[in-house]
Amino acid sequence: MVAGGALLAAWTMIVTLFITQAEPRQNWWHWAMFKGHIPSINDEPMRVWAARMPMLWLSAQRNKVDVPDVTLDIAFEHMQGLWRQRNKAIALGQLEQGEDDYVPATIRLDDRSVRVRLRLKGDVVEDYLQGGRWGFRIHVKGDDHIFGMRRFSLHHPRARSYHGQVVFNAMARHEGILTPRYFFVDVTLNGDFLGRYALEEHFSKELLESQGRRESVIVKFDETLLWEARRIRGDIGGEIYENFAHAKMVPFRAKSIASPTLQNDLNIAIGLARAFAEDSLPASEVFDPVLMGRMIAIGESWAAAHGNQWRNLRFYYNPVTARLEPIAYDSAVNDEWDTPTRMYNSRYRFLNKLLADPKIKSEYLATLARIATVMSDSASHVYLFEVQEHTLRTLRSHYPFVTPLPFDSVAHRAKKMLRFSTGKEDPTGVDAAHLLHAYLVAGAPGPHLELASRDTNQVIVERMFWVHEGRNAIEPFLFASGSQPEYPLRVPGTRRGKAPIMSSFAYKPLPDTAGWTLRLNAGQEDRQRYDVVAESYLPRATANPIPTASLTDVLDRIHFARWDDERQAVVLRAGQWQVNEPLILPDNVKLIVDPGTTIQFGTDAFLLVRGPMSLVGTPESPIRFEALEGQTWQGIVAMPSPSASTWSYVEIDHTSGIDHSGWSLTGGVTFYHHPVTMTHVTFGDNAAEDAVNFVHSTFTLRDITVTDAVSDGIDADFSDGTIATSTFRRIGWGGGGDAVDISGARVTVDSSSFSDIADKALSAGEGSTMEIRAVEIDGAGAGAVAKDRSLVTVTQSNLTAIRHAGLMAYVKKPEYGPAQLHATEITHEGSARLTWVQDGSSIIIDGVAVPTEAVNVDSLYQTIMSKGNK
């Protein structure tokens, strides 16, 4: 080490002498950037770097950080295929990707060998495919996983600015924004050590689960046409395809979107995105305004233009809020701290359009102000210093000259952006083969063809016809009236920087549509004509599926509601009332319900609040929310509230869950980022998947009764709470359900009773912690269950008539890992067995470990724990 340091010091002196004669900021050593010796984060003169080199090198050797070793084994013939793909990408200047590019491989990690499929990755050849350090996109085969992930990428750290992406992700996640997991590993390929790589999680349900999001779809704007145009014309910027409104919204892992729920989520997500792109809905009705404003502000502050471009943003559709949330990805933190015009205020219509929305702009400005303050005070962003220090230590043993990020420059830039007024500059360029939006839409009132020009000039359609390649047949395109269009059909141009104006034509579909495509022969005046294939697309949304209402609307429509000016609340008067439509309260408006109030709701009715609720009845005059006789009603949704709700002596009956204009929730009563305290509350005859669902909420429940639920009783997702002196009876009678089911949550259950439970009385999964004290379980499929890296403790409890096992611990989702259950002072009788613990997981009773056994969990859920065997 000493000899190496001496040699490096001598070399440094020579380099320094030479550099001092040259232009101080002449960065002629770009070759060293890819090798990792000089990052692109700092623009100090070369002589400064040369002087620092010996100290940095020695420090890196003294402070090494070990990382996991990942060994890739790829057969010779498949390596040859990757070489061909790589050489083709070098020749074209970009990587053309396809599903058939994947080749089989094996990853060895510790004592495991995992079968995978992989391909080359990276749009920018210089970042991912130069030299021998290629980037890979990896899919794990089957149900196996690596680091809790099934889909991820490996690439040179320089592709994401070394530690820049890690620090950026830390701030984004601190602000509540989704980010892929991102860390470093040492990679060996077929025996050749490639060096320290970055591992980045891809977009899948594991990403959502790891950060407390309910399973839904992840979508993006399709940039295929943009890259195709760049390849055809060699024009890397400014073309018409930079306009995001010409890009379709597409899902990740489309083949896995099989369930009706996920397909419904996708339909809403695409419909909302279309409505935004085509100026039909404001941005805050489509995107989460808080998270979107924060995302833009963080990107602006870090000069991370790349990650905030529409083609690099990815979005998670949150089914609770019916909004798209941004996912921080590929941010490309760089050194352009003093160029505030780099992003939205130069040529990105997408960000211009987002920031034109007052709600997003307000959060954007508030976040900029917060960043400017926090990043100016080192004590306020200690967590970023800690993340950066650990990451630098991890990288410097391989890339010794990586430098800290200039946090003071982030503060300076944030302040500058607060003062900077937004400018506008539209994308420019000429058209290529794809001039025309042509969508076949199956929305009401019938099938119709939508056409719009992607260029500023009009597009002329000479002919439209149906083609069946297999039958070698052609049929004319007919309007719904049966007549043919009068050709040529002229489609107006799209104004620069504006959304395309869709011309809509109702058409007569063919009797047998299988195998037929619609082709349009189209082009521009005095230019070549092209055949454009019409694509199936979903209709634009006409409104966000979650309804809104003004205070005036509420008071005009609900005759038993009044405004209490002193308490600044809507008050529902005592009496018996009927409601046959959704009862919606405005943002931040408190709801008070008088004792003795009974509301009977119709099938389509529900209560939606966006502020605190005071539902305080008495034993003599409880508050009742129930369905009209012989019906069900959709229930209650409590959206984020600045203060907690209070319920006491309340009875909720016959809820079915929300199903309104595509917006669907599993809970008969749902609390989302909404704290609540309940005492003496009854939930009966619930027909929803969950009688009560807490999502990212805190709750205190005492003397609660849940009876006759078709599925689960209480479901807590990513929430903290307590349940005490409560009763659960006849849960899961419709085919299976748990009395209390928690995921990613911390819950205490104390002095409560459970009887006639179809599935599990108490279930903890996905990294949860559950403390159970003094409970009585009489009749259940299982008593207390720990799953998937959860920890359950059970004390002073009685288990009776358990059909499968009183205590269980196993892994259902491999990405989480084994579970633990600790029990003391347990009595049981009339049960099939007390314990059932899978190899790898553990149950300890009164300090003694229970023997484990091989458990096929998939088989378990298909047999005795399936819904058909409750």
Side-chain angles (χ1 to χ4, degrees), residues 482-511:
S483 63
Q484 291 195 32
E486 295 184 7
Y487 299 113
L489 194 65
R490 298 181 181 274
V491 181
T494 297
R495 293 177 59 194
R496 292 187 186 279
K498 300 300 182 181
I501 300 174
M502 289 288 177
S503 300
S504 182
F505 306 93
Y507 69 88
K508 184 177 182 180
L510 297 176

mmCIF file of all heavy atoms in Angstrom, residues 482-511:
data_model
loop_
_atom_site.group_PDB
_atom_site.id
_atom_site.type_symbol
_atom_site.label_atom_id
_atom_site.label_comp_id
_atom_site.label_asym_id
_atom_site.label_seq_id
_atom_site.Cartn_x
_atom_site.Cartn_y
_atom_site.Cartn_z
ATOM 1 N N GLY A 482 -72.559 4.208 -41.694
ATOM 2 C CA GLY A 482 -72.403 3.308 -42.837
ATOM 3 C C GLY A 482 -71.759 3.963 -44.047
ATOM 4 O O GLY A 482 -71.458 3.287 -45.022
ATOM 5 N N SER A 483 -71.536 5.272 -43.999
ATOM 6 C CA SER A 483 -70.936 5.986 -45.136
ATOM 7 C C SER A 483 -69.411 5.966 -45.018
ATOM 8 O O SER A 483 -68.849 5.816 -43.937
ATOM 9 C CB SER A 483 -71.434 7.432 -45.177
ATOM 10 O OG SER A 483 -71.028 8.129 -44.005
ATOM 11 N N GLN A 484 -68.755 6.155 -46.165
ATOM 12 C CA GLN A 484 -67.298 6.245 -46.172
ATOM 13 C C GLN A 484 -66.875 7.699 -45.973
ATOM 14 O O GLN A 484 -67.608 8.626 -46.327
ATOM 15 C CB GLN A 484 -66.738 5.724 -47.496
ATOM 16 C CG GLN A 484 -66.896 4.221 -47.686
ATOM 17 C CD GLN A 484 -66.019 3.720 -48.818
ATOM 18 O OE1 GLN A 484 -64.937 4.252 -49.056
ATOM 19 N NE2 GLN A 484 -66.489 2.688 -49.507
ATOM 20 N N PRO A 485 -65.680 7.911 -45.416
ATOM 21 C CA PRO A 485 -65.188 9.289 -45.258
ATOM 22 C C PRO A 485 -64.959 9.936 -46.623
ATOM 23 O O PRO A 485 -64.732 9.248 -47.632
ATOM 24 C CB PRO A 485 -63.858 9.105 -44.515
ATOM 25 C CG PRO A 485 -63.938 7.746 -43.902
ATOM 26 C CD PRO A 485 -64.781 6.917 -44.817
ATOM 27 N N GLU A 486 -65.052 11.245 -46.657
ATOM 28 C CA GLU A 486 -64.714 11.989 -47.862
ATOM 29 C C GLU A 486 -63.225 12.313 -47.821
ATOM 30 O O GLU A 486 -62.772 13.153 -47.043
ATOM 31 C CB GLU A 486 -65.550 13.271 -47.955
ATOM 32 C CG GLU A 486 -67.048 13.024 -48.129
ATOM 33 C CD GLU A 486 -67.812 14.332 -48.319
ATOM 34 O OE1 GLU A 486 -67.153 15.388 -48.447
ATOM 35 O OE2 GLU A 486 -69.057 14.296 -48.324
ATOM 36 N N TYR A 487 -62.479 11.601 -48.645
ATOM 37 C CA TYR A 487 -61.028 11.799 -48.688
ATOM 38 C C TYR A 487 -60.676 12.922 -49.669
ATOM 39 O O TYR A 487 -61.405 13.153 -50.623
ATOM 40 C CB TYR A 487 -60.353 10.491 -49.095
ATOM 41 C CG TYR A 487 -60.590 9.344 -48.134
ATOM 42 C CD1 TYR A 487 -61.353 8.230 -48.515
ATOM 43 C CD2 TYR A 487 -60.042 9.366 -46.856
ATOM 44 C CE1 TYR A 487 -61.569 7.176 -47.646
ATOM 45 C CE2 TYR A 487 -60.263 8.318 -45.976
ATOM 46 C CZ TYR A 487 -61.020 7.224 -46.381
ATOM 47 O OH TYR A 487 -61.236 6.182 -45.503
ATOM 48 N N PRO A 488 -59.554 13.608 -49.431
ATOM 49 C CA PRO A 488 -58.657 13.459 -48.295
ATOM 50 C C PRO A 488 -59.241 14.057 -47.011
ATOM 51 O O PRO A 488 -59.939 15.069 -47.050
ATOM 52 C CB PRO A 488 -57.405 14.220 -48.731
ATOM 53 C CG PRO A 488 -57.927 15.278 -49.642
ATOM 54 C CD PRO A 488 -59.077 14.639 -50.382
ATOM 55 N N LEU A 489 -58.918 13.426 -45.896
ATOM 56 C CA LEU A 489 -59.352 13.877 -44.582
ATOM 57 C C LEU A 489 -58.213 14.690 -43.974
ATOM 58 O O LEU A 489 -57.091 14.204 -43.853
ATOM 59 C CB LEU A 489 -59.668 12.663 -43.703
ATOM 60 C CG LEU A 489 -60.446 12.892 -42.414
ATOM 61 C CD1 LEU A 489 -61.851 13.390 -42.713
ATOM 62 C CD2 LEU A 489 -60.513 11.595 -41.616
ATOM 63 N N ARG A 490 -58.487 15.930 -43.619
ATOM 64 C CA ARG A 490 -57.422 16.816 -43.142
ATOM 65 C C ARG A 490 -57.490 16.943 -41.619
ATOM 66 O O ARG A 490 -58.514 17.348 -41.060
ATOM 67 C CB ARG A 490 -57.539 18.191 -43.809
ATOM 68 C CG ARG A 490 -57.368 18.114 -45.324
ATOM 69 C CD ARG A 490 -57.449 19.469 -45.992
ATOM 70 N NE ARG A 490 -57.292 19.343 -47.441
ATOM 71 C CZ ARG A 490 -56.124 19.326 -48.074
ATOM 72 N NH1 ARG A 490 -55.008 19.470 -47.354
ATOM 73 N NH2 ARG A 490 -56.051 19.195 -49.377
ATOM 74 N N VAL A 491 -56.373 16.597 -40.981
ATOM 75 C CA VAL A 491 -56.273 16.641 -39.526
ATOM 76 C C VAL A 491 -55.452 17.872 -39.151
ATOM 77 O O VAL A 491 -54.295 17.992 -39.550
ATOM 78 C CB VAL A 491 -55.605 15.365 -38.981
ATOM 79 C CG1 VAL A 491 -55.521 15.419 -37.461
ATOM 80 C CG2 VAL A 491 -56.364 14.127 -39.446
ATOM 81 N N PRO A 492 -56.012 18.819 -38.382
ATOM 82 C CA PRO A 492 -55.294 20.070 -38.068
ATOM 83 C C PRO A 492 -53.986 19.810 -37.327
ATOM 84 O O PRO A 492 -53.855 18.837 -36.574
ATOM 85 C CB PRO A 492 -56.288 20.836 -37.191
ATOM 86 C CG PRO A 492 -57.614 20.201 -37.443
ATOM 87 C CD PRO A 492 -57.352 18.775 -37.778
ATOM 88 N N GLY A 493 -53.024 20.710 -37.547
ATOM 89 C CA GLY A 493 -51.755 20.618 -36.836
ATOM 90 C C GLY A 493 -51.910 20.953 -35.362
ATOM 91 O O GLY A 493 -52.893 21.564 -34.937
ATOM 92 N N THR A 494 -50.917 20.549 -34.592
ATOM 93 C CA THR A 494 -50.892 20.831 -33.156
ATOM 94 C C THR A 494 -50.031 22.058 -32.903
ATOM 95 O O THR A 494 -48.869 22.109 -33.331
ATOM 96 C CB THR A 494 -50.312 19.627 -32.384
ATOM 97 O OG1 THR A 494 -51.167 18.498 -32.579
ATOM 98 C CG2 THR A 494 -50.201 19.938 -30.899
ATOM 99 N N ARG A 495 -50.572 23.043 -32.241
ATOM 100 C CA ARG A 495 -49.817 24.255 -31.944
ATOM 101 C C ARG A 495 -48.614 23.921 -31.067
ATOM 102 O O ARG A 495 -48.671 23.031 -30.227
ATOM 103 C CB ARG A 495 -50.700 25.275 -31.245
ATOM 104 C CG ARG A 495 -51.809 25.846 -32.112
ATOM 105 C CD ARG A 495 -52.665 26.798 -31.299
ATOM 106 N NE ARG A 495 -51.864 27.886 -30.756
ATOM 107 C CZ ARG A 495 -52.298 28.710 -29.801
ATOM 108 N NH1 ARG A 495 -53.515 28.557 -29.296
ATOM 109 N NH2 ARG A 495 -51.523 29.682 -29.355
ATOM 110 N N ARG A 496 -47.545 24.648 -31.292
ATOM 111 C CA ARG A 496 -46.323 24.385 -30.543
ATOM 112 C C ARG A 496 -46.580 24.477 -29.037
ATOM 113 O O ARG A 496 -47.141 25.438 -28.532
ATOM 114 C CB ARG A 496 -45.244 25.399 -30.928
ATOM 115 C CG ARG A 496 -44.753 25.244 -32.353
ATOM 116 C CD ARG A 496 -43.574 26.170 -32.609
ATOM 117 N NE ARG A 496 -43.181 26.146 -34.006
ATOM 118 C CZ ARG A 496 -42.422 25.208 -34.559
ATOM 119 N NH1 ARG A 496 -41.989 24.222 -33.814
ATOM 120 N NH2 ARG A 496 -42.110 25.254 -35.834
ATOM 121 N N GLY A 497 -46.138 23.428 -28.352
ATOM 122 C CA GLY A 497 -46.260 23.415 -26.905
ATOM 123 C C GLY A 497 -47.658 23.167 -26.382
ATOM 124 O O GLY A 497 -47.881 23.242 -25.183
ATOM 125 N N LYS A 498 -48.628 22.882 -27.272
ATOM 126 C CA LYS A 498 -50.008 22.670 -26.854
ATOM 127 C C LYS A 498 -50.374 21.200 -26.979
ATOM 128 O O LYS A 498 -49.728 20.436 -27.674
ATOM 129 C CB LYS A 498 -50.963 23.525 -27.692
ATOM 130 C CG LYS A 498 -50.712 25.020 -27.592
ATOM 131 C CD LYS A 498 -50.856 25.530 -26.162
ATOM 132 C CE LYS A 498 -50.644 27.034 -26.079
ATOM 133 N NZ LYS A 498 -50.761 27.524 -24.689
ATOM 134 N N ALA A 499 -51.435 20.834 -26.294
ATOM 135 C CA ALA A 499 -51.922 19.463 -26.388
ATOM 136 C C ALA A 499 -52.551 19.224 -27.754
ATOM 137 O O ALA A 499 -53.146 20.138 -28.337
ATOM 138 C CB ALA A 499 -52.960 19.194 -25.300
ATOM 139 N N PRO A 500 -52.415 18.016 -28.288
ATOM 140 C CA PRO A 500 -53.069 17.725 -29.565
ATOM 141 C C PRO A 500 -54.589 17.791 -29.431
ATOM 142 O O PRO A 500 -55.149 17.398 -28.400
ATOM 143 C CB PRO A 500 -52.605 16.304 -29.889
ATOM 144 C CG PRO A 500 -52.229 15.711 -28.586
ATOM 145 C CD PRO A 500 -51.713 16.846 -27.745
ATOM 146 N N ILE A 501 -55.239 18.311 -30.450
ATOM 147 C CA ILE A 501 -56.707 18.362 -30.474
ATOM 148 C C ILE A 501 -57.190 17.112 -31.199
ATOM 149 O O ILE A 501 -56.960 16.943 -32.405
ATOM 150 C CB ILE A 501 -57.202 19.630 -31.181
ATOM 151 C CG1 ILE A 501 -56.681 20.870 -30.444
ATOM 152 C CG2 ILE A 501 -58.726 19.641 -31.259
ATOM 153 C CD1 ILE A 501 -56.992 22.171 -31.157
ATOM 154 N N MET A 502 -57.832 16.239 -30.460
ATOM 155 C CA MET A 502 -58.278 14.973 -31.031
ATOM 156 C C MET A 502 -59.573 15.149 -31.813
ATOM 157 O O MET A 502 -60.567 15.634 -31.269
ATOM 158 C CB MET A 502 -58.477 13.931 -29.924
ATOM 159 C CG MET A 502 -57.188 13.438 -29.299
ATOM 160 S SD MET A 502 -56.292 12.364 -30.432
ATOM 161 C CE MET A 502 -54.806 12.041 -29.464
ATOM 162 N N SER A 503 -59.545 14.753 -33.081
ATOM 163 C CA SER A 503 -60.768 14.674 -33.890
ATOM 164 C C SER A 503 -61.335 13.274 -33.720
ATOM 165 O O SER A 503 -60.615 12.284 -33.894
ATOM 166 C CB SER A 503 -60.455 14.947 -35.357
ATOM 167 O OG SER A 503 -59.895 16.222 -35.525
ATOM 168 N N SER A 504 -62.599 13.201 -33.376
ATOM 169 C CA SER A 504 -63.203 11.907 -33.048
ATOM 170 C C SER A 504 -64.232 11.527 -34.101
ATOM 171 O O SER A 504 -65.070 12.359 -34.505
ATOM 172 C CB SER A 504 -63.862 11.970 -31.672
ATOM 173 O OG SER A 504 -64.413 10.725 -31.325
ATOM 174 N N PHE A 505 -64.187 10.272 -34.556
ATOM 175 C CA PHE A 505 -65.096 9.771 -35.591
ATOM 176 C C PHE A 505 -65.693 8.449 -35.134
ATOM 177 O O PHE A 505 -64.971 7.453 -34.963
ATOM 178 C CB PHE A 505 -64.359 9.558 -36.915
ATOM 179 C CG PHE A 505 -63.613 10.771 -37.405
ATOM 180 C CD1 PHE A 505 -62.268 10.958 -37.101
ATOM 181 C CD2 PHE A 505 -64.256 11.732 -38.161
ATOM 182 C CE1 PHE A 505 -61.580 12.064 -37.542
ATOM 183 C CE2 PHE A 505 -63.574 12.857 -38.611
ATOM 184 C CZ PHE A 505 -62.238 13.024 -38.298
ATOM 185 N N ALA A 506 -66.999 8.422 -34.914
ATOM 186 C CA ALA A 506 -67.667 7.167 -34.601
ATOM 187 C C ALA A 506 -67.631 6.282 -35.839
ATOM 188 O O ALA A 506 -67.892 6.736 -36.952
ATOM 189 C CB ALA A 506 -69.107 7.419 -34.167
ATOM 190 N N TYR A 507 -67.277 5.027 -35.642
ATOM 191 C CA TYR A 507 -67.144 4.143 -36.816
ATOM 192 C C TYR A 507 -67.923 2.847 -36.615
ATOM 193 O O TYR A 507 -68.318 2.494 -35.493
ATOM 194 C CB TYR A 507 -65.677 3.847 -37.102
ATOM 195 C CG TYR A 507 -64.982 2.973 -36.085
ATOM 196 C CD1 TYR A 507 -64.988 1.577 -36.192
ATOM 197 C CD2 TYR A 507 -64.291 3.535 -35.015
ATOM 198 C CE1 TYR A 507 -64.338 0.790 -35.262
ATOM 199 C CE2 TYR A 507 -63.640 2.745 -34.076
ATOM 200 C CZ TYR A 507 -63.662 1.361 -34.204
ATOM 201 O OH TYR A 507 -63.022 0.575 -33.287
ATOM 202 N N LYS A 508 -68.121 2.172 -37.724
ATOM 203 C CA LYS A 508 -68.843 0.899 -37.728
ATOM 204 C C LYS A 508 -67.835 -0.235 -37.636
ATOM 205 O O LYS A 508 -67.029 -0.435 -38.558
ATOM 206 C CB LYS A 508 -69.659 0.770 -39.008
ATOM 207 C CG LYS A 508 -70.525 -0.487 -39.073
ATOM 208 C CD LYS A 508 -71.363 -0.499 -40.344
ATOM 209 C CE LYS A 508 -72.263 -1.719 -40.409
ATOM 210 N NZ LYS A 508 -73.085 -1.721 -41.645
ATOM 211 N N PRO A 509 -67.808 -0.970 -36.522
ATOM 212 C CA PRO A 509 -66.813 -2.036 -36.391
ATOM 213 C C PRO A 509 -67.143 -3.210 -37.300
ATOM 214 O O PRO A 509 -68.303 -3.414 -37.694
ATOM 215 C CB PRO A 509 -66.904 -2.425 -34.916
ATOM 216 C CG PRO A 509 -68.300 -2.071 -34.523
ATOM 217 C CD PRO A 509 -68.672 -0.856 -35.329
ATOM 218 N N LEU A 510 -66.132 -3.979 -37.622
ATOM 219 C CA LEU A 510 -66.337 -5.190 -38.412
ATOM 220 C C LEU A 510 -67.041 -6.238 -37.561
ATOM 221 O O LEU A 510 -66.859 -6.282 -36.338
ATOM 222 C CB LEU A 510 -65.003 -5.736 -38.905
ATOM 223 C CG LEU A 510 -64.205 -4.828 -39.847
ATOM 224 C CD1 LEU A 510 -62.871 -5.454 -40.170
ATOM 225 C CD2 LEU A 510 -64.990 -4.545 -41.116
ATOM 226 N N PRO A 511 -67.850 -7.098 -38.193
ATOM 227 C CA PRO A 511 -68.543 -8.132 -37.411
ATOM 228 C C PRO A 511 -67.578 -9.025 -36.634
ATOM 229 O O PRO A 511 -67.834 -9.399 -35.496
ATOM 230 C CB PRO A 511 -69.316 -8.926 -38.478
ATOM 231 C CG PRO A 511 -69.451 -7.990 -39.620
ATOM 232 C CD PRO A 511 -68.234 -7.132 -39.611
#
